[in-house]
Amino acid sequence: MVLKPVRVFCFIFLLAVLATLLTGWHMLQMKEDALAYAHASGKNTLLLVEREFHRDLDVHAQTLQTLSNVLTGPATPALTQQILQELVQGHAAGSVQSGTLVVTDANGQLLMDLNHAGELRRDLSEREYFQAARDNPGRQFLSRPFLPSYPGASESTALSRAVLDANGQFVGVVAAIKELRHMESFVRGLDLGELGDVSIRLLDGSVLAQWPAEPKRSSADERQTFEAFVASGEVETFRQQANTPDAYWRGYRRIGDYPAVVSVELGRKAIFHTWTARTWITSGLLLAINAMTLFFAYRLTRHLRRRDAQESRLRTQADTDPLTGLHNRRWFDQKAQREWQRRRAGDGQLAVLMMDIDQFKAYNDHYGHPRGDLALINVAHLVGKGCRREEDGAARYGGEEFVMILPGCDTAAAARIAESIRREIEETALPHAKGDRGVVTLSIGVASTSDTAAESIEALIDAADANLYKAKAAGRNKVVA
């Protein structure tokens, strides 16, 4: 009996020691969680910024390539500035900020400004974007920040490329000028916490955009890390230093093949702020430890929700045809299977429209692929307008073929929709010198389960495709159901 209090004391002491060890172990795990969260958050921010501006630069690069092809193509003498403007706008529709497009001759003299907000001076031969494109005709060039020569201009950068004629001779430069304030507005919206920095820099260290405008951390060590990353040729790299008062996490990622790098840096307060604020509370309380676990679970869930939302946006991009903006074949195949299963469950009729632009190869051969792409965009827009209900869906099936799926439609209703699309495209009167009617037209085949004994969605699509061939055989520009 004498030892009982001692045993109780020892038992309680051991429990206290165990609780203390458990708390200490848990706090160490929380510190690792904070580092992992900082890594995931920093990496996702890095990827978000890189993908946003990679896509934007790709849009401008495609626009410049198309513009270069149009300027040197056989149809160039007949094209007006208005047609060039429409062509460029069609290709640049998906950019964050379309910017200003300029064209110079081989001597740097301004030939045209497609957005009427670009360089006012006519001699651009001293511009870096002209000289670099002229001296490196096989490459695209992203310039250091400069001030364009128009009223109210702000610092800008330019993506440029040389224009070569059919003999490979340098004949000028096309360039897309983008004001940097649009980049700065985007990175300003990223919440990286205290001592969090994000920047977009050229390979020589020239800053295109950064937030905050005056970084709270600026060290020779960071500059050395940046220069080492550029020299390594790697696509992505991460650095972290956790167990010092000057802790940090850094990430660097190249923007595709462009001479630019996105960097994200998180300081000690940004990484360990939550962990430090709760250390005193959780040190002696097991209940507080559990509360902190739930808190971090909530934080992790919120982070995963944001990541899921981002992945959802990426899936949407994966289901979209990049040229026309319609859904792509992958999306249609999945949509068609879902609608077929729904119909088998007794949810009404299902109709499919197969559409093909008449004599499109002759159109491409005559007008060139850039004008062909513009025709596809125009037709796709009118096809998409035919989807009047949320459950309707249109997609680019391949090449100049389009497809539409119409749940709950019998043959008559689907044929009316098809005729409306066919008539609207014909009335648009897009010139087609090699076409039977002198304008771009569309042939459409219609099939619905109301009149077609299809055993599968593939059979229904085949039936619509067969009717499409009948429409072609009957003289094109027809609807056959």
Side-chain angles (χ1 to χ4, degrees):
M1 296 297 294
V2 176
L3 296 177
K4 186 175 181 180
V6 175
R7 290 178 181 176
V8 171
F9 174 79
C10 291
F11 178 71
I12 294 175
F13 178 77
L14 289 174
L15 284 179
V17 171
L18 180 61
T20 301
L21 292 175
L22 180 63
T23 301
W25 174 83
H26 191 70
M27 292 308 299
L28 290 175
Q29 291 302 308
M30 288 171 61
K31 185 176 183 179
E32 293 299 320
D33 288 345
L35 286 170
Y37 179 82
H39 178 79
S41 179
K43 185 175 181 180
N44 285 342
T45 301
L46 197 68
L47 193 61
L48 173 65
V49 178
E50 187 274 335
R51 286 183 176 173
E52 180 71 17
F53 289 103
H54 189 183
R55 181 189 65 82
D56 197 42
L57 289 172
D58 279 348
V59 169
H60 288 292
Q62 182 183 6
T63 299
L64 295 182
Q65 177 64 62
T66 303
L67 182 55
S68 176
N69 292 343
V70 170
L71 291 171
T72 57
T76 298
L79 292 177
T80 65
Q81 184 168 346
Q82 179 182 359
I83 296 175
L84 284 173
Q85 178 76 20
E86 292 174 356
L87 177 62
V88 171
Q89 288 176 347
H91 282 282
S95 65
V96 171
Q97 187 263 338
S98 59
T100 297
L101 293 151
V102 298
V103 182
T104 76
D105 63 14
N107 297 317
Q109 298 301 308
L110 180 65
L111 295 180
M112 63 181 67
D113 169 4
L114 294 180
N115 281 2
H116 308 293
E119 301 277 18
L120 292 183
R121 71 185 194 186
R122 310 301 299 180
D123 185 1
L124 304 179
S125 60
E126 298 301 318
R127 288 294 192 201
E128 181 188 24
Y129 62 78
F130 171 80
Q131 296 177 355
R134 177 195 62 195
D135 298 340
N136 301 275
R139 298 168 53 191
Q140 293 184 119
F141 176 74
L142 190 62
S143 76
R144 286 189 285 265
F146 69 98
L147 195 64
S149 58
Y150 59 87
S154 62
E155 279 204 324
S156 303
T157 185
L159 182 68
S160 61
R161 63 176 296 129
V163 179
L164 305 179
D165 63 15
N167 299 318
Q169 297 298 311
F170 174 74
V171 296
V173 167
V174 290
I177 300 175
K178 291 177 60 65
E179 292 186 341
L180 296 179
R181 58 189 175 89
H182 296 281
M183 291 186 180
E184 292 170 354
S185 175
F186 178 81
V187 299
R188 191 182 304 124
L190 301 172
D191 182 11
L192 300 184
E194 190 174 358
L195 293 183
D197 303 329
V198 59
S199 69
I200 304 172
R201 289 176 276 184
L202 299 178
L203 299 186
D204 63 1
S206 300
V207 176
L208 297 181
Q210 66 180 10
W211 186 258
E214 296 295 333
K216 298 177 182 179
R217 291 174 54 87
S218 179
S219 65
D221 177 60
E222 194 282 331
R223 287 193 295 274
Q224 291 174 1
T225 305
F226 174 80
E227 291 169 359
F229 168 69
V230 171
S232 71
E234 295 178 336
V235 174
E236 184 178 63
T237 192
F238 307 103
R239 299 285 188 274
Q240 70 179 34
Q241 180 174 299
N243 298 317
T244 67
D246 195 30
Y248 64 79
W249 179 94
R250 293 176 187 149
Y252 301 87
R253 184 177 178 86
R254 286 285 298 269
I255 302 180
D257 295 328
Y258 301 98
V261 174
V262 177
S263 66
V264 173
E265 180 171 352
L266 303 176
R268 182 181 182 85
K269 289 186 179 180
I271 298 172
F272 295 126
H273 174 71
T274 303
W275 177 79
T276 302
R278 286 160 177 80
T279 298
W280 299 102
I281 301 173
T282 58
S283 295
L285 301 173
L286 187 59
L287 182 60
I289 293 175
N290 293 333
M292 287 299 297
T293 302
L294 292 175
F295 174 79
F296 272 88
Y298 165 74
R299 291 291 299 271
L300 182 60
T301 300
R302 189 173 67 172
H303 165 69
L304 293 176
R305 189 178 295 116
R306 287 199 297 262
R307 189 184 69 179
D308 290 344
Q310 181 181 353
E311 290 177 352
S312 177
R313 289 193 295 271
L314 294 176
R315 282 194 296 271
T316 298
Q317 293 177 4
D319 289 338
T320 302
D321 177 62
L323 176 64
T324 63
L326 286 181
H327 295 298
N328 57 22
R329 174 73 175 272
R330 173 180 177 273
W331 175 90
F332 173 76
D333 290 341
Q334 295 173 349
K335 167 80 171 175
Q337 289 296 334
R338 288 196 304 271
E339 296 298 340
W340 183 259
Q341 294 301 323
R342 187 176 300 160
R343 177 193 169 273
R344 291 186 61 185
D347 195 17
Q349 306 295 337
L350 183 64
V352 171
L353 276 59
M354 292 296 294
M355 295 164 273
D356 187 83
I357 301 177
D358 296 325
Q359 298 171 303
F360 188 70
K361 182 179 185 303
Y363 186 96
N364 260 344
D365 291 343
H366 181 70
Y367 292 103
H369 288 284
R371 290 284 296 277
D373 288 348
L374 185 59
L376 284 172
I377 292 170
N378 289 332
V379 171
H381 173 71
L382 296 175
V383 169
K385 286 175 60 178
C387 297
R388 298 181 175 88
R389 303 172 302 167
E390 184 177 353
E391 61 267 28
D392 297 341
R396 185 183 180 187
Y397 202 66
E400 65 272 24
E401 284 190 306
F402 301 90
V403 64
M404 183 180 291
I405 188 164
L406 302 170
C409 269
D410 58 17
T411 302
R416 286 194 297 271
I417 293 173
E419 176 59 25
S420 173
I421 295 171
R422 184 207 65 76
R423 183 174 59 253
E424 190 167 0
I425 290 174
E426 184 179 23
E427 291 174 353
T428 300
L430 187 65
H432 187 348
K434 299 298 181 179
D436 293 341
R437 291 169 174 78
V439 295
V440 171
T441 58
L442 194 70
S443 295
I444 306 176
V446 180
S448 173
T449 53
S450 63
D451 294 312
T452 303
E455 297 298 326
S456 65
I457 184 62
E458 290 80 10
L460 186 63
I461 294 172
D462 289 343
D465 198 45
N467 285 338
L468 171 61
Y469 278 99
K470 291 178 182 178
K472 292 283 189 182
R476 304 186 182 91
N477 192 30
K478 295 183 183 300
V479 174
V480 173

